[in-house]
Amino acid sequence: MAKVNRRSFLKVTGGLGLSVLGTSLLPLPLWAHDHGGTGTPSPGVGIPPSGGTGSVIDLKLIAREKDVSLFPDRATHVWSYEGEILSAPPSAMTALAGNYLGPILQVRSGDRLRVQFESEVPEETIIHWHGLHIPADMDGHPHAVIQKGQTFQYDFAVENRAGLYFYHPHPHGKLGRQVYLGLAGVLIVRDAEEDALGLPTGEQEHLMVIQDRLFDANRQLEYLTGGMHDRMMGMHGDHILINGQFTQNKTVTRGTQRLRILNASNARLYNLAWSDGRPLTIIGTDGGLLKAPVQRKTLLLGAGERLDVLVDFSDVPTGQTVELQSVPMAAGAGKPFTIQSFVMGAATTAKYQTPAQLCRWDAIPVSESVNRPGDKSFQLRPTAQGWTIDGLTYDPHGVSEKETVQLGTTEIWEFDHTVSGMAHPMHIHGSQFQVLERISGQFQGAFDEGWKDTVLLLPGDRVRVIKRFHQHAGLFVYHCHILEHEDHSMMRNFLVKE
Ligand code: C2O
Ligand code: CU
Ligand code: CU
């Protein structure tokens, strides 16, 4: 395995100096819920989410310490979610063998998800369902933490559209280390609108959870060994893992593949591109499908962001390799590095005809907002205590007037990143929002299309998002998804009051 320079990212913003590593990628298990009507996908678009049939998916997740074999010579000690199906179809939970990543959970929009969460780790923790629109007391707010030996019962309806969501701990000040040690997993939501597209599935649908890690000579995870520097820049590793493993190349059929990408790194920003210069065909983002596919040569994916990508390999000869890479943001600012190599197998599968229109949803009208663009602005600012929002550190019970929203209303929030000098992916709990406007600084490449829960702020940017605060009242958080920033202390509460 190649060692890479962890610090070369200092030359540019946000960490793009890594070099090569072996990686792997995993086909998604075929989902076989026989509730919610999979049937033959019908042609056309605009079919609203099924709402499923409201099946009850009853699961158990346990956070525990264990040893995994990432390296051939010695086991690595990790923290990991392990799961068990209490009552659900087998496809609802798929364990990933031999690594630290939690099981893949799959549900349908409209299902009721019940998760009995038990903690066996020696530190307070709680699970947050990133991207889901659920009641405040189910959201894993830092004040809901449990101790070792305790249980938290989740029980909520899945309201979200089809998409790739994820679950991870959310105790304040300890989140970065817990995720780094291995506590994270994905939740895939399916719905009828997505079914109708007949997207590539089975061996042609791939999960890619991208993470970077640093290991010591004993093959153990090293966290914040770089002290204040790691805290300010966020924890960057020198090994890339995909789905919690190092593996080399992935053999695929010469046909259309669907890549479901999550940047679950603590801090690292990836500038994605194909090694042969083909454009990335993006069909979805954090909150599910776009209205229509979008093509980009390169694209920045910040921590917490997701991407749904189609790639048609039918033009690549058998035996040849195409790499998904992270490339420098500017000439001379580091070298490209491999995220995943795809080797063309002998088999050819039918080419998927990507529809010109994927689905229908409306832009949230500015007129729906109770405030005007720019009049509610949150400034991303470094202080002696670390990174902050508006110069304020996290206050477990505190919430300002500006952070108080009336239930049932829509607001426009601005993140102002004109003061400090590195990228911050800003995440808001609750419903998915839309990016209204990016008043851009010097850097391009962030992707704002579709429904989002995390938006990347590049130095000099101001970004305005429009968000509905409907259905769920209570205390939620918003924060930078560079987990070391969130821990120290770029997180604040917001209150949706009835
Ligand atoms: Cu993925 Cu509050 O976080
Ligand atoms: Cu979240
Ligand atoms: Cu940040």
Side-chain angles (χ1 to χ4, degrees):
M1 245 164 290
K3 291 292 282 181
V4 293
N5 183 357
R6 224 158 60 81
R7 299 286 168 82
S8 59
F9 65 84
L10 283 174
K11 286 184 264 172
V12 292
T13 54
L16 297 167
L18 194 81
S19 76
V20 185
L21 310 156
T23 51
S24 79
L25 153 156
L26 182 92
L28 285 178
L30 278 170
W31 61 287
H33 275 55
D34 32 36
H35 63 289
T38 58
T40 323
S42 46
V45 292
I47 299 165
S50 66
T53 52
S55 302
V56 180
I57 306 291
D58 208 346
L59 309 173
K60 186 191 227 180
L61 283 175
I62 306 153
R64 57 165 59 125
E65 300 184 67
K66 68 175 186 187
D67 291 322
V68 295
S69 296
L70 297 173
F71 297 88
D73 56 344
R74 202 172 297 189
T76 303
H77 191 69
V78 298
W79 290 15
S80 177
Y81 292 118
E82 290 188 342
E84 195 182 306
I85 293 179
L86 299 177
S87 164
S91 59
M93 179 182 271
T94 309
L96 295 167
N99 76 50
Y100 58 80
L101 219 61
I104 299 170
L105 310 186
Q106 291 195 81
V107 299
R108 290 189 67 84
S109 184
D111 282 349
R112 176 173 164 196
L113 182 58
R114 290 169 46 88
V115 178
Q116 182 183 324
F117 171 54
E118 296 175 9
S119 173
E120 292 179 7
V121 294
E123 207 172 81
E124 59 180 25
T125 192
I126 193 70
I127 292 178
H128 164 59
W129 306 91
H130 181 125
L132 292 194
H133 188 208
I134 51 178
D137 60 354
M138 294 287 119
D139 194 52
H141 187 281
H143 67 47
V145 289
I146 60 169
Q147 306 297 331
K148 182 175 182 172
Q150 293 184 322
T151 297
F152 189 98
Q153 181 65 52
Y154 292 91
D155 188 347
F156 54 83
V158 178
E159 296 173 18
N160 285 62
R161 305 168 70 223
L164 177 63
Y165 303 93
F166 75 122
Y167 57 97
H168 62 71
H170 224 295
H172 179 57
K174 304 186 174 88
L175 165 54
R177 182 164 166 271
Q178 291 188 7
V179 172
Y180 193 82
L181 288 175
L183 291 176
V186 303
L187 171 74
I188 292 168
V189 178
R190 311 277 188 182
D191 68 16
E193 185 179 51
E194 183 192 58
D195 293 348
L197 295 172
L199 291 163
T201 185
E203 291 292 305
Q204 287 158 264
E205 183 183 13
H206 308 273
L207 180 65
M208 289 180 65
V209 177
I210 310 174
Q211 295 177 309
D212 60 335
R213 292 290 184 271
L214 186 65
F215 298 89
D216 67 15
N218 290 322
R219 311 305 201 189
Q220 303 310 306
L221 289 160
E222 282 193 76
Y223 187 63
L224 295 189
T225 44
M228 194 56 181
H229 174 276
D230 281 349
R231 242 172 69 165
M232 286 309 277
M233 301 310 290
M235 182 65 203
H236 288 72
D238 61 357
H239 291 68
I240 295 285
L241 294 101
I242 301 289
N243 302 326
Q245 285 180 313
F246 313 114
T247 326
Q248 294 306 323
N249 304 327
K250 170 83 187 178
T251 301
V252 292
T253 55
R254 298 170 58 252
T256 307
Q257 313 292 324
R258 179 182 186 190
L259 311 183
R260 313 205 53 184
I261 303 170
L262 158 65
N263 181 356
S265 307
N266 276 42
R268 191 174 285 279
L269 173 63
Y270 301 91
N271 194 26
L272 301 177
W274 287 111
S275 57
D276 63 359
R278 72 180 62 219
L280 291 149
T281 302
I282 301 129
I283 59 164
T285 174
D286 303 349
L289 292 168
L290 304 180
K291 288 188 227 181
V294 173
Q295 297 213 319
R296 283 285 184 86
K297 276 277 186 199
T298 62
L299 181 150
L300 289 170
L301 195 68
E305 289 188 291
R306 284 90 74 202
L307 212 58
D308 204 337
V309 169
L310 291 181
V311 58
D312 175 15
F313 287 135
S314 55
D315 58 331
V316 187
T318 299
Q320 275 201 12
T321 298
V322 180
E323 291 183 357
L324 184 66
Q325 297 179 326
S326 182
V327 300
M329 281 176 74
K335 292 198 188 94
F337 63 89
T338 308
I339 291 174
Q340 178 68 57
S341 294
F342 296 90
V343 182
M344 299 308 127
T348 306
T349 46
K351 190 179 159 92
Y352 176 75
Q353 288 299 340
T354 309
Q357 194 187 354
L358 297 164
C359 57
R360 273 183 216 143
W361 44 261
D362 292 324
I364 306 174
V366 175
S367 61
E368 193 183 295
S369 172
V370 296
N371 69 318
R372 288 205 308 273
D375 69 5
K376 189 175 271 201
S377 185
F378 299 92
Q379 198 173 61
L380 314 184
R381 220 190 279 168
T383 68
Q385 285 79 45
W387 297 101
T388 67
I389 299 169
D390 285 339
L392 303 170
T393 54
Y394 183 61
D395 172 357
H397 303 287
V399 59
S400 71
E401 187 60 40
K402 190 167 79 172
E403 293 163 331
T404 304
V405 172
Q406 182 64 46
L407 179 68
T409 63
T410 299
E411 290 202 355
I412 295 165
W413 287 14
E414 177 181 276
F415 293 113
D416 176 350
H417 189 18
T418 49
V419 173
S420 75
M422 69 176 290
H424 299 285
M426 298 302 296
H427 171 52
I428 314 176
H429 286 210
S431 66
Q432 298 282 322
F433 54 77
Q434 293 173 2
V435 178
L436 206 58
E437 195 177 357
R438 176 179 293 270
I439 302 152
S440 201
Q442 57 181 142
F443 298 103
Q444 308 288 312
F447 192 72
D448 296 333
E449 306 280 326
W451 292 90
K452 298 282 292 167
D453 56 53
T454 307
V455 64
L456 186 62
L457 274 285
L458 296 165
D461 285 354
R462 275 185 299 145
V463 172
R464 290 170 183 165
V465 303
I466 185 163
K467 179 176 164 86
R468 291 179 169 138
F469 298 88
H470 298 179
Q471 267 119 312
H472 304 302
L475 199 64
F476 296 88
V477 291
Y478 66 106
H479 56 85
C480 176
H481 221 281
I482 292 181
L483 303 181
E484 292 69 38
H485 293 180
E486 172 176 1
D487 279 343
H488 311 276
S489 170
M490 218 174 184
M491 175 162 77
R492 294 281 304 167
N493 285 319
F494 70 92
L495 176 69
V496 183
K497 69 161 200 263
E498 285 182 81

